[in-house]
Amino acid sequence: MREDSNWFSKWEEELPSPEELMPLSQTLITPDLAIAFDIPNPSTNHSPQLLHQTLTPPAPPPSNNNNSSEFVDSAELGGGGGSGGDEPARTLKRPRLVWTPQLHKRFVDAVAHLGIKNAVPKTIMQLMSVDGLTRENVASHLQKYRLYLKRMQGISSGGGGGGGAGGGIGSDPATDHLFASSPVPAHFLHPGGGGRPGPDHFLPTFVPYHHHPPPQQPQQQQYRQIGHIGLQPNGHIGLQSNGQFEHPFMSARPVLHRIGGGPVGHHNPVVPYVEDVESGTAANGRKVLTLFPTGDD
DNA sequence: TTTGCAATAT
DNA sequence: CATATTGCAA
């Protein structure tokens, strides 16, 4: 009498296989956070199954001991009155997230699997399993993404992405670039659609390793952090997916986009076009956190 | 509470 | 310019 059992069965069938989700678990680490880790002891403890780490939100000013003088960022942020100069309260500013095509791909994938209906920032964020990603990050991007879709729906009825959108109508030089690189799965068109709420693709909640009924527990977020963070002496943050991918080259390399930095005596000679350089450094000296997935696609 | 979106700031 | 942030409305 209930279609519940119906869609339920299908749900499992349509469920993205672990492999499908595997690539969907990336670990984005915020630089401060990574540094804060100070490289955990890769000794005892090697549970490839569930690695639980109590999130460590506060990122204390790391002793940036890198070659040459790196900006010393420490006390700042308006002062606030000098009340007790304690640690950087929770007003730490995160680096700007650089949405790389791959990261965006993940974003689109998540949205595609969630369905426009359930594609809300929180869910997307959880489904992406990208450590460091915040709801605001996704929300902000989601906003832009929606605008992009809207723009395309209005002009191109189906063309849209198609991959190389390079000259399609509706591709505003401002919005495409990133979005146009992503093969919009289906027509993320209006949900209403045919008059009956038909779940596009379901995926009530994140999908753990074991297929289980929707643990609709109001449990707060707590599933994240899967992977190993390694800090390279180079100042680069190497991130190893706890999964099966382990390529020294494919380590996610998040770069910080430091804002409010201080004395930035930076001088970046404009990077030519390499895949491995202090990318992102704008002429201003802003650092960015770039995500690099484990070579997907 | 979260979400969506315009405006705004950097 | 790309994001982040904010303010306000469901």
Side-chain angles (χ1 to χ4, degrees):
Chain A
M1 331 200 174
R2 269 262 130 132
E3 348 176 305
D4 290 275
S5 16
N6 238 350
W7 70 271
F8 202 71
S9 300
K10 203 171 176 190
W11 173 53
E12 283 205 297
E13 301 237 328
E14 292 281 312
L15 253 183
S17 16
E19 261 88 81
E20 182 101 49
L21 256 82
M22 227 312 168
L24 226 78
S25 350
Q26 232 238 266
T27 318
L28 189 170
I29 51 168
T30 132
D32 294 51
L33 193 59
I35 302 173
F37 270 57
D38 209 289
I39 309 176
N41 243 350
S43 285
T44 39
N45 246 2
H46 199 263
S47 319
Q49 278 234 311
L50 270 208
L51 210 160
H52 214 309
Q53 231 257 272
T54 351
L55 206 31
T56 315
S63 322
N64 230 337
N65 53 334
N66 237 354
N67 36 356
S68 290
S69 49
E70 282 276 293
F71 19 78
V72 204
D73 97 35
S74 9
E76 86 297 35
L77 205 141
S83 26
D86 39 77
E87 303 162 16
R90 345 173 51 86
T91 347
L92 250 181
K93 227 177 184 62
R94 284 202 194 221
R96 271 166 80 130
L97 176 72
V98 176
W99 286 87
T100 77
Q102 283 92 340
L103 184 54
H104 180 69
K105 172 83 186 288
R106 268 188 110 63
F107 169 85
V108 174
D109 269 357
V111 176
H113 277 171
L114 286 168
I116 304 297
K117 303 179 8 266
N118 294 295
V120 289
K122 209 188 219 167
T123 316
I124 296 171
M125 175 189 67
Q126 292 187 277
L127 234 175
M128 290 177 76
S129 278
V130 177
D131 182 19
L133 236 189
T134 68
R135 192 170 64 74
E136 310 297 328
N137 282 134
V138 179
S140 193
H141 194 71
L142 181 61
Q143 232 193 1
K144 264 190 71 193
Y145 185 59
R146 279 176 171 158
L147 290 174
Y148 167 75
L149 292 178
K150 232 165 239 214
R151 215 162 267 255
M152 296 227 125
Q153 289 161 17
I155 309 203
S156 183
S157 10
I169 311 268
S171 297
D172 271 300
T175 0
D176 63 9
H177 284 149
L178 214 185
F179 300 140
S181 290
S182 161
V184 176
H187 6 304
F188 276 180
L189 268 103
H190 359 161
R196 196 203 33 175
D200 288 331
H201 271 122
F202 354 86
L203 192 66
T205 58
F206 65 96
V207 192
Y209 277 154
H210 310 101
H211 32 68
H212 246 251
Q216 260 243 318
Q217 275 192 322
Q219 200 108 39
Q220 296 263 100
Q221 80 270 50
Q222 196 90 27
Y223 342 87
R224 34 171 50 161
Q225 230 297 41
I226 46 168
H228 185 204
I229 302 170
L231 179 64
Q232 309 208 224
N234 207 331
H236 286 171
I237 303 172
L239 182 158
Q240 292 178 342
S241 287
N242 206 5
Q244 8 203 49
F245 309 99
E246 217 194 74
H247 273 183
F249 317 110
M250 297 193 173
S251 336
R253 194 179 101 278
V255 183
L256 271 205
H257 194 153
R258 221 126 186 167
I259 323 180
V264 198
H266 241 191
H267 194 251
N268 227 322
V270 182
V271 321
Y273 213 70
V274 202
E275 292 184 356
D276 194 84
V277 250
E278 321 273 284
S279 66
T281 323
N284 220 335
R286 308 165 150 164
K287 255 93 168 206
V288 250
L289 167 72
T290 48
L291 246 198
F292 218 75
T294 51
D296 179 313
D297 211 21

